Amino acid sequence: ALERAPHTPVRELDILPGAERAYLLEELNRTAAAYPSEQCIHELFEAQVAKAPEAVAVVCAEERVSYGELNARANRLAHYL
């Protein structure tokens, strides 16, 4: 592709075969899962907190926040509001 259009930006080149591109962009991104619709999101979150409070819930730059800490921060905010 680069030989046919040498001035094409690299980001616009098709470097993967179609099947591999579809697999990477579509198949690996199929993350649909059954959602327990009888519970509210805050109930599901608190169940996760109870199950694994030390597990990492959020990563932002160099900061990692566990489910337990995130729940504590959310509760502080809720009480403040």
Side-chain angles (χ1 to χ4, degrees):
L2 193 54
E3 288 177 350
R4 291 188 301 268
H7 300 292
T8 303
V10 173
R11 69 178 176 272
E12 294 178 14
L13 295 175
D14 285 329
I15 58 173
L16 296 174
E20 187 174 355
R21 180 178 174 81
Y23 172 72
L24 292 172
L25 296 178
E26 296 171 20
E27 288 298 319
L28 292 181
N29 284 309
R30 291 188 204 279
T31 57
Y35 180 79
S37 59
E38 67 281 353
Q39 290 181 289
C40 295
I41 190 70
H42 72 280
E43 295 170 322
L44 294 170
F45 179 79
E46 289 187 357
Q48 181 62 32
V49 172
K51 186 166 44 170
E54 299 303 317
V56 175
V58 178
V59 176
C60 181
E62 299 299 317
E63 183 178 13
R64 294 177 181 273
V65 180
S66 70
Y67 280 98
E69 176 61 22
L70 185 58
N71 190 47
R73 290 182 189 188
N75 287 336
R76 282 194 299 272
L77 176 61
H79 290 293
Y80 175 76
L81 295 176

